[in-house]
Amino acid sequence: QSQEQAKQATPAPATFAEDIAQRRSSAANPVKPEPPLEVTALKVWGRTDRFVHFEKEVEMTRGDLRLKADKATYRFLEDEAEAEGQVSLTRNGDCYDGDRVRVQLERRTGFVENPVYRLIRNHAQGQAKRIDFLDEERSVVHQGTYSTCQGVSPDWYLKTETLQLDTGLDTGTASRSVLYFKDTPILVAPSITFPLSSARHSGFLPPVTGATSKGGVEFGLPYYWNIAPNRDVTLYPKIISRRGLQLGAEARYLGEQYRGESTLEGIVGDRQTSTNRYALTSLHEQYLMPDLKLSWNLNMASDDNYPTDFSNSITKTSVRLLPRDLQLSYGGSFWNASFQASGYQVLQDVNAPITRPYDRLPQLQLHAEQLDVGGFDMSVDTMLTRFWHPDLVRGDRAVVAANLSLPFVRSGYFIKPQVSVHATNYHLVNPSAKQDADAHRVVPIFSLDSGLVFERDTRLFGRDFTQTLEPRLYYVNIPYRDQSRLPNFDSAPADFNFAQIFTENRFVGQDRIGDANQVTTALVSRYLENDGSERLKLAVGQRFYFNHQRVTLDNAPSPSRSDLLLAATGRWSSTLSGDLAFQLSQSNRRAIQTSYSVQWQPEAKKVLNLGYRFQRDSLEQVDISGQWPLADRLYGVGRVNYSLMDKRVVDGIAGLEYKADCWSLRFVAQRFATSTTTSNTGFSLQLELTGLARLGVGGNPLEALKRNIAGYQSVSER
Amino acid sequence: CGFHLREPVALPFSSIYIGLPVTSPLAAELKRQIRSTSPAQISDTRQSAQVVLEVLSEKRDKQILSLNSQGRVREYKLIYDFSFRVRTPDGKELMDTVNIQLSRTLTFNEAQVRAKEAEEALLFRDMQNDLVQQVLRRLSVLKPEA
């Protein structure tokens, strides 16, 4: 009973490391009262204070140590039990059935000969020539096997010379071992470390084998190093047959005031290019003071082709601009400020060159606002930027924008008149013939936003809903200013969507302020469930122009359009959800932009996605993806993203996943476009043995599946 | 056809603590909306509030939605994922964990990357406003025990 009380008094360990320390100290604690030894047997004899000999149906118990045998002897002086014939030993919940056992009851040391063992954690099992118990937590398995499969003939097992098990550190370390899969040796390893429970642990991750059209055969064996609960490193060496050995490392860290992750990978002496190649990414966020934050996002590659040559993932190869950003920001009570330096590394494709974006070296921003001062909301935004470019016009730009609005908000309606002044000053270093070295522009802006909210109770799909009806009217007036002599550092026409139609400027960025005398109307209807959640949202919006727009960008004519927007999004039923968006040009009655997507997820690990996307003169694609059980334990996964315009598969992935009780096998083949003329083709194969290696991060087929197939769930997830 | 102007709905609690950093723009918008639509007080500490909004996760993600035939990104899907639950200061659950996921489409072109950065920020702000409305609607049907 006293032990139970002691257990309750011990607080739950906060971290894994603490847990170990706590258990180590309690094991070493000599004052722990030793429970009495209890023995039952059919036949007993012995000498007082020397030994007792037991025979037939012997059962010895001391605490959680239990010994069953045909014959056993207990020696008082050594506090030792020795047993023979059909011996079964239970120790810390783990079971050992063997021929002969000797164990010191209090010190928990001893050995068992020719045992078959089962460990309580991880449900691991195996057999051995001999197991030595070093103390309560550590033991050594000699010439044994280890597997997390159940039954007498495991699908996979590890055959080891010695295997050290440490339940305190939660690790198994196998020396000189051979891994058998279906009784075939597949891997010889001088040393393997693996966790004894499902806790996060250092160790090898499932190896990935495969081949790509560019690199040839590949073999990667990632190693996960769990330094502390809030810090880890994954090393991912990879042999690429046509290139050489690529090394990579990913580090992650998390603290009270900071967090970040960095990846560095590279290859010394690529055999294809005879150069050293590398790539680096680093993300970091840190609070230097409660209100002062430092952050960076740095990305770098040794050459233009690094991602297309080395990445098996389209998420890497499709990105041609690598951002480099450093930011210091301060957030005060009614104002915030930031200092930022940013640029991009451009990975050029000779067939489709990219104009390098401007670097901002640096940009200073100040935002201040005061709300509800006598009913008025006020804000001021200031932005000072030095734009740098090796070839184009360089210069400094200062922007000050002040807003004053008088919002009148009630539950059923709102009216929000707003006046703003947008003032900009340019100082150009190398103006072109059409530009002045110094230019400035002041634009007053008036807008009036208003809306009503109606509600009613209704039924849909046999359920009660609250349906809202929200008409909205938004008027903007911006007088014309000639901006044809101003440079374009960071502006572009904005996408036409429901967020944009309720903003003042039809351009994004600060270099163009579009003249406007326009009204936007929209009608939104929502279906709300009783718990307040939004089930369905239908929206229609249109903008009407009262005059012809004159402000243009890069001398492209500004189309005088008043397109119609339609959107519907929501969950149609518990398994079916969908998204529809449609933009129709009112001038020629043609679709400008269309997208439909439907997801059907009848149950876990069963999903189908269907999508169609269209952008006039730029994109028309069909996208089908899904995960579906093909047979018991066998799942098919796939995605086809087909460009109707180019009659070409932009991104295709097909895979098979098999999930057995103690292992899973994953095969993934991929083909994706990397430039106008080239595609990457490749496949990868991954065998995951449960309990031997934890699921990996980065660069594995699982990541490709998760990225490509919305709603995908790994078969090995429990 | 049964529609009527929305009636004023008072939030069914007298004070709330919002478990987000003071510098969070989402927290600022939530507090502003609560103050403007309801007499409920915003508490500075958990213990002094009647109900506590606990944020379990707030994630912003950017996924590739479509590529052109050169394998370059032409559309991104911006995702705002937010999970929260509401409890009393002593930990009693008042509402199951709520997950709200919003997404918007952003067209992309390398030549306009600076403008697209600004547009991305605009869309995230739009989603944030939408999110605040959805959170408020969830809060308005809360049933804190007397």
Side-chain angles (χ1 to χ4, degrees):
Chain A
Q1 204 190 347
S2 65
Q3 215 178 5
E4 215 163 65
Q5 281 170 350
K7 232 183 238 168
Q8 282 171 351
T10 316
T15 64
F16 189 69
E18 262 178 49
D19 183 31
I20 295 170
Q22 216 171 70
R23 275 192 283 146
R24 280 254 191 265
S25 68
S26 72
N29 191 353
V31 292
K32 195 171 99 180
E34 189 66 21
L37 174 66
E38 287 171 23
V39 190
T40 58
L42 293 183
K43 199 170 163 188
V44 183
W45 77 91
R47 288 181 59 178
T48 316
D49 293 343
R50 296 286 292 276
F51 67 88
V52 192
H53 194 74
F54 307 96
E55 257 180 47
K56 286 185 184 166
E57 297 177 33
V58 186
E59 196 170 332
M60 283 188 181
T61 318
R62 188 166 193 177
D64 66 349
L65 191 97
R66 213 169 75 223
L67 186 64
K68 283 187 194 173
D70 291 342
K71 280 184 193 172
T73 306
Y74 178 74
R75 298 190 188 87
F76 288 90
L77 201 63
E78 292 90 352
D79 183 36
E80 179 184 81
E82 190 167 355
E84 276 179 5
Q86 303 276 328
V87 187
S88 172
L89 173 72
T90 311
R91 184 175 166 272
N92 301 335
D94 302 334
C95 297
Y96 307 84
D97 296 339
D99 297 342
R100 199 161 81 90
V101 164
R102 188 187 283 177
V103 58
Q104 276 79 36
L105 296 183
E106 191 175 343
R107 286 162 56 206
R108 302 290 174 103
T109 56
F111 63 85
V112 51
E113 283 178 2
N114 295 317
V116 171
Y117 68 92
R118 280 188 313 279
L119 305 181
I120 189 166
R121 287 203 266 182
N122 240 9
H123 307 290
Q125 59 144 332
Q127 56 192 52
K129 197 146 192 196
R130 181 186 160 107
I131 296 179
D132 283 328
F133 304 120
L134 303 183
D135 56 33
E136 193 167 341
E137 293 171 346
R138 290 180 301 152
S139 52
V140 181
V141 180
H142 297 277
Q143 294 176 15
T145 63
Y146 178 89
S147 177
T148 60
C149 302
Q150 307 303 304
V152 282
S153 55
D155 283 345
W156 69 265
Y157 57 90
L158 204 58
K159 199 167 176 182
T160 65
E161 194 57 39
T162 58
L163 169 63
Q164 296 181 32
L165 302 173
D166 189 328
T167 55
L169 293 175
D170 196 38
T171 54
T173 309
S175 310
R176 295 170 64 193
S177 48
V178 182
L179 179 63
Y180 285 80
F181 182 70
K182 297 278 181 190
D183 290 323
T184 312
I186 56 165
L187 189 74
V188 178
S191 175
I192 299 181
T193 306
F194 52 86
L196 294 179
S197 73
S198 53
R200 226 164 65 131
H201 234 287
S202 298
F204 283 99
L205 304 177
V208 181
T209 42
T212 63
S213 50
K214 290 195 163 181
V217 178
E218 296 182 353
F219 178 78
L221 184 62
Y223 181 82
Y224 177 76
W225 181 19
N226 190 38
I227 302 170
N230 61 345
R231 237 168 292 161
D232 62 26
V233 167
T234 308
L235 302 171
Y236 49 97
K238 193 189 216 177
I239 296 164
I240 306 170
S241 65
R242 286 188 212 144
R243 297 187 188 277
L245 175 67
Q246 184 195 27
L247 296 172
E250 181 189 281
R252 301 186 298 179
Y253 49 91
L254 175 71
E256 197 109 311
Q257 306 296 332
Y258 60 88
R259 66 169 168 201
E261 55 182 86
S262 292
T263 308
L264 176 65
E265 57 177 51
I267 186 165
V268 177
D270 182 340
R271 287 210 295 275
Q272 296 275 301
T273 62
S274 308
T275 53
N276 298 333
R277 306 178 70 183
Y278 64 90
L280 166 80
T281 71
S282 177
L283 281 169
H284 181 85
E285 266 180 38
Q286 182 163 14
Y287 282 93
L288 301 175
M289 286 190 284
D291 300 327
L292 186 66
K293 187 167 113 175
L294 169 75
S295 59
W296 71 66
N297 176 11
L298 298 174
N299 297 270
M300 201 182 282
S302 57
D303 54 275
D304 290 344
N305 298 320
Y306 188 92
T308 47
D309 282 355
F310 288 95
S311 177
N312 298 334
S313 148
I314 193 136
T315 55
K316 301 256 176 66
T317 62
S318 56
V319 176
R320 294 244 154 220
L321 297 173
L322 305 181
R324 293 163 180 184
D325 241 317
L326 181 70
Q327 193 171 349
L328 201 60
S329 52
Y330 181 85
S333 53
F334 64 94
W335 61 282
N336 57 64
S338 70
F339 173 89
Q340 188 183 22
S342 73
Y344 281 96
Q345 180 183 356
V346 182
L347 304 178
Q348 289 291 4
D349 169 5
V350 281
N351 294 316
I354 297 161
T355 312
R356 185 194 158 122
Y358 274 96
D359 289 348
R360 288 186 290 215
L361 298 169
Q363 174 162 285
L364 286 161
Q365 249 175 314
L366 180 73
H367 170 82
E369 65 177 22
Q370 280 283 37
L371 301 173
D372 201 15
V373 183
F376 285 93
D377 286 355
M378 298 178 253
S379 71
V380 179
D381 281 284
T382 311
M383 202 189 289
L384 301 171
T385 318
R386 171 159 290 177
F387 288 97
W388 188 89
H389 198 282
D391 313 314
L392 303 176
V393 177
R394 292 185 289 273
D396 299 340
R397 187 186 69 192
V399 178
V400 179
N403 294 298
L404 180 71
S405 67
L406 182 63
F408 189 72
V409 182
R410 289 294 176 269
S411 57
Y413 59 96
F414 73 93
I415 301 169
K416 187 184 170 191
Q418 176 171 308
V419 287
S420 316
V421 178
H422 193 285
T424 318
N425 190 72
Y426 289 92
H427 176 74
L428 306 180
V429 178
N430 52 344
S432 70
K434 289 181 183 169
Q435 290 168 335
D436 308 316
D438 288 283
H440 58 89
R441 173 191 66 191
V442 178
V443 192
I445 297 168
F446 171 75
S447 69
L448 180 69
D449 197 358
S450 61
L452 295 166
V453 184
F454 295 100
E455 277 184 354
R456 70 165 179 181
D457 295 329
T458 186
R459 281 181 78 79
L460 190 70
F461 314 123
R463 295 181 61 155
D464 286 327
F465 285 95
T466 301
Q467 187 191 1
T468 72
L469 198 64
E470 305 165 33
R472 187 169 170 187
L473 205 64
Y474 182 64
Y475 173 77
V476 181
N477 194 313
I478 305 174
Y480 170 74
R481 294 286 184 273
D482 182 8
Q483 297 165 46
S484 58
R485 295 169 71 82
L486 299 181
N488 176 14
F489 293 131
D490 64 3
S491 288
D495 281 353
F496 198 70
N497 56 40
F498 277 100
Q500 200 277 325
I501 57 175
F502 294 104
T503 50
E504 293 158 345
N505 193 1
R506 65 174 186 275
F507 298 99
V508 272
Q510 309 296 330
D511 299 309
R512 294 291 181 279
I513 306 290
D515 54 322
N517 181 14
Q518 66 199 31
V519 156
T520 306
T521 57
L523 188 64
V524 177
S525 181
R526 296 173 216 265
Y527 285 83
L528 307 172
E529 302 216 40
N530 291 334
D531 64 357
S533 65
E534 188 176 299
R535 185 69 180 267
L536 198 61
K537 179 180 166 184
L538 307 167
V540 51
Q542 185 163 16
R543 186 180 277 175
F544 298 96
Y545 299 102
F546 297 131
N547 57 1
H548 184 75
Q549 300 150 61
R550 294 162 68 192
V551 176
T552 59
L553 189 64
D554 298 332
N555 295 323
S558 197
S560 183
R561 61 182 191 194
S562 59
D563 296 350
L564 182 75
L565 283 177
L566 293 166
T569 176
R571 287 172 293 125
W572 309 97
S573 76
S574 58
T575 58
L576 193 69
S577 60
D579 229 321
L580 312 173
F582 191 60
Q583 181 187 346
L584 184 79
S585 163
Q586 289 295 86
S587 39
N588 55 13
R589 299 262 157 202
R590 287 203 302 179
I592 302 293
Q593 199 162 318
T594 310
S595 75
Y596 310 109
S597 69
V598 179
Q599 183 176 67
W600 183 47
Q601 190 152 29
E603 57 188 79
K605 294 166 194 169
K606 227 179 188 184
V607 64
L608 281 181
N609 302 300
L610 192 67
Y612 169 81
R613 318 195 57 78
F614 169 79
Q615 275 182 49
R616 184 155 295 282
D617 304 325
S618 137
L619 190 93
E620 187 174 16
Q621 291 179 350
V622 178
D623 199 345
I624 301 167
S625 65
Q627 176 184 27
W628 205 258
L630 301 175
D632 188 31
R633 296 166 174 276
L634 182 70
Y635 289 80
V637 283
R639 178 188 183 185
V640 176
N641 188 5
Y642 183 78
S643 168
L644 295 167
M645 255 172 66
D646 311 280
K647 305 210 171 3
R648 182 181 182 197
V649 173
V650 177
D651 187 10
I653 189 165
L656 283 174
E657 283 191 290
Y658 183 81
K659 164 88 177 111
D661 284 329
C662 55
W663 56 275
S664 43
L665 185 70
R666 201 168 282 127
F667 172 82
V668 174
Q670 242 185 316
R671 181 185 170 82
F672 51 85
T674 52
S675 75
T676 354
T677 49
T678 58
S679 284
N680 257 12
T681 320
F683 73 88
S684 51
L685 185 68
Q686 188 181 39
L687 176 67
E688 185 193 341
L689 306 174
T690 313
L692 196 62
R694 208 181 60 89
L695 269 190
V697 282
N700 66 24
L702 203 61
E703 190 198 29
L705 295 177
K706 278 188 176 156
R707 276 282 169 190
N708 270 288
I709 300 155
Y712 166 81
Q713 287 171 303
S714 163
V715 296
S716 49
E717 265 170 33
R718 264 155 277 172
Chain B
C1 48
F3 281 109
H4 52 86
L5 267 188
R6 183 162 69 187
E7 312 275 333
V9 205
L11 291 174
F13 43 80
S14 59
S15 61
I16 184 169
Y17 172 75
I18 292 171
L20 275 169
V22 189
T23 47
S24 154
L26 177 66
E29 185 60 30
L30 253 176
K31 288 174 186 171
R32 176 189 303 175
Q33 288 292 332
I34 291 173
R35 280 198 198 100
S36 69
T37 56
S38 148
Q41 296 293 311
I42 312 281
S43 300
D44 290 333
T45 60
R46 260 183 94 91
Q47 289 310 322
S48 61
Q50 189 193 356
V51 299
V52 176
L53 188 150
E54 290 181 1
V55 176
L56 303 174
S57 78
E58 187 195 355
K59 278 180 291 195
R60 292 170 175 219
D61 197 13
K62 186 172 166 183
Q63 287 178 4
I64 294 167
L65 194 58
S66 62
L67 302 150
N68 66 2
S69 61
Q70 298 159 4
R72 298 216 191 135
V73 182
R74 282 298 163 262
E75 282 175 308
Y76 279 109
K77 184 178 188 179
L78 306 178
I79 298 168
Y80 200 144
D81 190 282
F82 185 68
S83 290
F84 71 99
R85 63 181 175 197
V86 181
R87 308 214 286 183
T88 59
D90 47 13
K92 198 166 154 268
E93 294 250 340
L94 297 174
M95 187 194 284
D96 288 344
T97 298
V98 174
N99 174 261
I100 299 173
Q101 197 183 66
L102 299 167
S103 69
R104 299 285 188 269
T105 304
L106 173 71
T107 66
F108 186 76
N109 189 334
E110 283 83 4
Q112 300 172 345
V113 62
R114 287 294 178 203
K116 291 297 167 186
E117 286 171 9
E119 214 164 350
E120 185 179 325
L122 169 76
L123 291 173
F124 270 117
R125 240 186 349 262
D126 182 51
M127 280 191 269
Q128 182 183 295
N129 292 341
D130 202 344
L131 183 69
V132 165
Q133 293 305 323
Q134 294 206 25
V135 171
L136 284 179
R137 255 182 248 125
R138 289 301 187 99
L139 291 179
S140 68
V141 294
L142 200 68
K143 289 186 181 69
E145 276 164 302

